[in-house]
Amino acid sequence: MNNFSIERIIHEKRELYLYQLPILTKDIIRANFEQLKSLDLARRHWYFNTSGGSTGEPIVLIQDAEYNDKSTAISLLFSYLVGRELGEPEVRLWGSEKDVFDGTMGWKATFFNFLRNTTYMNAFQMTPERMRDFLKLLNKKPPKLIVAYAQAIYELAKFAEDEKITLVPQKAIITSAGTLYAWMRQKIESVFQCKVFNRYGSREVSDIACERPGEQGLWVAPWGNYIEIVDDDNNPVPAGVEGNILITSLTNFAMPLIRYKIGDRGILSPEYKSGQILEQVSGRNVDIFKTQSGTLIDGEYFTHLLYFKDWVHKFQIIQKSYLEITIKIIKSNSDCLTEELDDIVSKCKLMMGKDCVVNFEFVERIPVSNSGKYRYTISEVI
């Protein structure tokens, strides 16, 4: 029996046992937080994290150093598979609240970025001047890999095209933190003259799957997570059929997430190539917010403002105009503090301008869009 056959048997056995366990939801985690902690948590180097709010329903979780190390290794593997060796130059178009709030990146982050040979552009502060400088950098020293928010790199591609800035061919791009639509991929590849590889992950379970050169679908690293697809009644669906994604983390023993309903939808391939293959992931929609000065702000910035807020059950953030933002919130059982609301307002004004009006609407329900998908950030500014 070859290694592939053994892997397949383990895969099928794992699925059989998992079906006997209940499905874990965000509501269950909120209601049973203490019971979900590992019994040996005291001897672990643990920390709090929060879900990324991709469904507008953030939750607090516990992770530890061992989980972080294994997650980092998988992330580095995904980069290696698309052409970047450890230590080779990498550029990230990513979000950093600390850079926005403090006005600078901390010395520790700066030091580790130097060691990793990584350069950052903040996706939360994409002014025309910064975008021009970033494109000049890419032309002067093309890195081995660009890692970016899907929507942010698409907006950068459009900016380069509109400004008639021609880029030298780049090596490879990995996109994440949002849905990469076919028309976005086409634009990015055309402007940057290289292949784009989609990556799927979340703050709850780190990087899950990534596209690989010459392969179809997103390969799931089998040491990190295991995926199931179920219908709306939580029944397993056949391969090739879209449904709700359940994820079992194989690395977080501080707070195990088993059959966790992450809030995204996807399709599993019937193929198994040393790991599961996701044919498609859908359900993540993030808008770009715009200021009067032309600065582009990835909607992820505003979702970060609601992290670690126990009183937020679900939210939606809408840019009504250049100077008006509405934040809809379904509250949990706990009450919000006035100073927390004031902090959210000040951080919205920091990006949108001091004259921006921030309205809070505490509601019982937040409807889905006409397409049936939930959008947690919406910009009505064209």
Side-chain angles (χ1 to χ4, degrees):
M1 185 177 293
N2 58 34
N3 288 337
F4 175 78
S5 299
I6 294 171
E7 284 182 3
R8 186 75 196 190
I9 291 170
I10 293 172
H11 163 71
E12 291 171 351
K13 289 285 186 182
R14 184 187 293 164
E15 196 170 72
L16 178 64
Y17 288 123
L18 282 175
Y19 285 166
Q20 301 176 41
L21 299 175
I23 288 173
L24 184 65
T25 65
K26 291 179 171 66
D27 285 340
I28 291 174
I29 292 174
R30 291 190 189 96
N32 300 275
F33 186 81
E34 293 299 320
Q35 289 80 4
L36 289 169
K37 292 180 179 178
S38 169
L39 295 177
D40 66 351
L41 194 62
R43 66 178 181 81
R44 293 179 176 275
H45 299 291
W46 63 273
Y47 54 90
F48 290 113
N49 201 352
T50 179
S51 64
S54 65
T55 59
E57 299 179 88
I59 53 168
V60 175
L61 302 161
I62 290 176
Q63 295 162 349
D64 64 15
E66 183 179 354
Y67 161 86
N68 185 65
D69 290 344
K70 291 177 179 177
S71 299
T72 300
I74 290 173
S75 180
L76 290 172
L77 173 63
F78 285 164
S79 295
Y80 170 78
L81 292 175
V82 301
R84 188 224 177 196
E85 295 273 2
L86 184 63
E88 289 185 321
E90 175 185 86
V91 168
R92 285 182 170 253
L93 179 55
W94 212 252
S96 171
E97 311 99 294
K98 185 175 178 59
D99 194 13
V100 173
F101 303 155
D102 299 342
T104 182
M105 185 178 290
W107 70 266
K108 187 180 291 186
T110 301
F111 176 68
F112 279 109
N113 288 337
F114 170 75
L115 290 180
R116 289 191 292 244
N117 203 359
T118 300
T119 303
Y120 272 83
M121 176 185 174
N122 197 343
F124 295 158
Q125 291 183 314
M126 291 174 60
T127 65
E129 294 75 20
R130 285 172 182 250
M131 286 191 282
R132 288 191 190 94
D133 289 343
F134 190 60
L135 293 169
K136 285 180 183 176
L137 172 67
L138 296 179
N139 269 336
K140 185 178 180 181
K141 293 182 177 179
K144 285 300 293 259
L145 178 64
I146 300 170
V147 181
Y149 285 174
Q151 188 68 42
I153 193 75
Y154 171 71
E155 294 294 338
L156 185 64
K158 286 203 304 179
F159 177 82
E161 192 173 65
D162 292 343
E163 295 291 312
K164 296 180 171 53
I165 300 172
T166 301
L167 278 144
V168 301
Q170 301 297 305
K171 305 292 193 303
I173 295 172
I174 286 180
T175 60
S176 193
T179 302
L180 178 68
Y181 295 103
W183 46 269
M184 294 170 66
R185 186 196 295 268
Q186 183 178 23
K187 175 74 70 180
I188 298 166
E189 290 187 343
S190 172
V191 170
F192 291 91
Q193 302 183 62
C194 68
K195 291 292 293 182
V196 173
F197 301 93
N198 196 18
R199 188 179 71 188
Y200 175 48
S202 76
R203 291 169 68 100
E204 299 103 304
V205 294
S206 195
D207 289 343
I208 301 165
C210 187
E211 291 179 331
R212 299 178 292 173
E215 300 285 349
Q216 295 295 314
L218 291 88
W219 176 71
V220 180
W223 320 280
N225 298 283
Y226 184 79
I227 289 179
E228 300 170 71
I229 307 292
V230 298
D231 61 22
D232 291 339
D233 294 320
N234 295 328
N235 298 311
V237 302
V241 175
E242 184 178 75
N244 301 305
I245 297 176
L246 304 182
I247 297 185
T248 295
S249 171
L250 306 177
T251 57
N252 184 8
F253 294 95
M255 178 177 276
L257 297 182
I258 300 173
R259 306 197 79 197
Y260 169 58
K261 198 170 189 176
I262 195 168
D264 297 322
R265 292 176 63 81
I267 300 172
L268 266 178
S269 168
E271 292 187 275
Y272 186 90
K273 296 182 176 180
S274 296
Q276 297 170 288
I277 305 294
L278 271 167
E279 288 184 4
Q280 177 183 310
V281 178
S282 59
R284 296 189 167 195
N285 293 286
V286 58
D287 278 15
I288 288 286
F289 285 34
K290 304 174 181 69
T291 69
Q292 282 182 313
S293 65
T295 298
L296 305 179
I297 307 161
D298 196 287
E300 285 277 323
Y301 171 81
F302 298 94
T303 69
H304 286 205
L305 303 183
L306 295 165
Y307 288 177
F308 298 106
K309 302 291 189 293
D310 294 339
W311 47 273
V312 176
H313 175 71
K314 193 170 186 176
F315 68 85
Q316 187 176 69
I317 305 167
I318 306 170
Q319 182 184 15
K320 308 295 289 187
S321 69
Y322 287 122
L323 294 176
E324 183 180 358
I325 287 177
T326 295
I327 303 177
K328 295 183 178 181
I329 296 173
I330 299 176
K331 289 176 63 177
S332 63
N333 295 328
S334 55
D335 291 326
C336 60
L337 301 174
T338 301
E339 51 263 39
E340 289 185 292
L341 295 178
D342 291 342
D343 183 61
I344 293 171
V345 171
S346 67
K347 287 173 178 174
C348 286
K349 289 176 177 286
L350 181 63
M351 299 302 290
M352 304 304 298
K354 60 182 177 61
D355 296 325
C356 181
V357 175
V358 181
N359 304 306
F360 292 96
E361 294 183 4
F362 294 96
V363 298
E364 297 294 324
R365 177 176 171 271
I366 300 177
V368 298
S369 66
N370 292 334
S371 67
K373 293 183 178 180
Y374 179 80
R375 297 172 64 191
Y376 61 105
T377 58
I378 299 172
S379 177
E380 296 179 355
V381 176
I382 300 175

